[in-house]
Amino acid sequence: VTRSLPPWLTHPWLTVRVQIGLGAIFVVAAIPKIVDPPSFAHMIYNYRLVPGFAVNALALVMPWVELLTGLALILGVWPREAAALAGLLLLMFLWAIGFNLARGHAVDCGCFDIHSAGKSRPELLNDMRWVLIRDTAMLLMVVQILMASGRGRELKVESSGTRPPRLLPLDS
Amino acid sequence: MSRLRNRTRILILILAAVSCAAVSNLAASRERRMAWVGDYSRALEIVSASSAATSIPVSIPTAAPAAPAAPENASATPAAAASAAGVPAGVPAEVARVAPAPAAAAKTFAPHPDRASVEITTDDAEALFHQGRLFLDARRTSVYTDGHVPGARSFPVWESDIADRVKAFFEEGLDQNAPIVIYCSGGDCEDSHMLAEKLYMVGFNNLLVYKDGFPGWQKRGLPAVKGPKP
């Protein structure tokens, strides 16, 4: 698939910027949740999708997953794995928001601000639609990183087949 | 091989996150700390705030208001005088005099052992306030500190020590059939219902959820105090 893509789409110049951008979003989203886990647990509870016993554990762990994923993307450490993890998180967020939107259950996203803004139901439902669009855009960023790293691997394999033999010293 | 390496790295990231969360939770202050296993019986139910409890209070007309509940510091001098006059302990007398008790003061709220809570209006809450009934605030400590009903005690349901607070409250030996008003932030806020369920489980039979919560209280221009104390 990656061979048929235009080269600029998987160019390292773009990939580095996408990684840093996506990583920064994840770090910014994680910090308020780490600072105040009970408020984030409240947000998760409001989604009505997580069993009661798991609400607190998810509220404690998920922000750290976001933070480490974001830092790994920014620093370029295991970017493929970090992007895959970011993709899994985004798919989970999309499902949670989409499912509640489909059943008409209005919730505060809790994505960046973990305190209820006191919005009306129509305002919340409208916000949820925007969150779906935003998370889909972020998912496209994940796809770009994965494709770029996939293409990098292909090039690596190809180049390893055509690499010229190493020049050895004459006296060996 | 490559796929195995990818999965191992993802697993390492997740395990690192769990470790960080454990350390962070251990080092957290009381307000930020949480039990790892939650205790939320309605976590998968979609309930509107109004359907979580009966919305019409059980009320019987009566000639005289009920005697005030015994707040924890009711024996002090000005507070005791205020309490005898139908004002919650801890409420300055000048604050309590700001508004006369409304017509709802003629209501009394019978125990309802068959359900955790009934919802009450601002009129009812105001009347109960002037009767000197006990108020409990189910919001976070930081929000409580920013402003609360005078005399209301803090019971933040989302903080780690809520079970200890409920246990200590039960051990105070208060009359379990006396009305207790619980409030949070109004609207869709369910914290007061959650607290009501916890108190109902230990035997309190007359829990009244003030559905408009503190925003409704403020909107009416009723007295409020700031700070960590009731």
Side-chain angles (χ1 to χ4, degrees), chain A residues 17-33 63 66-67 69-71 73-74 86 90 93 111-112 134-135 137-139 141:
Chain A
R17 280 152 184 80
V18 169
Q19 268 180 224
I20 292 173
L22 187 63
I25 293 171
F26 269 76
V27 169
V28 169
I31 288 170
K33 298 169 191 165
E66 286 182 343
L67 183 75
T69 301
L71 288 176
L73 285 168
I74 291 169
L90 286 167
F93 300 155
C111 308
F112 295 94
R134 187 187 65 202
D135 285 1
M138 288 166 69
L139 203 56
M141 294 168 85

Side-chain angles (χ1 to χ4, degrees), chain B residues 33-49:
Chain B
R33 195 177 304 138
M34 287 199 301
W36 278 84
V37 179
D39 177 24
Y40 313 112
S41 55
R42 293 170 178 262
L44 295 172
E45 293 175 30
I46 296 184
V47 279
S48 65

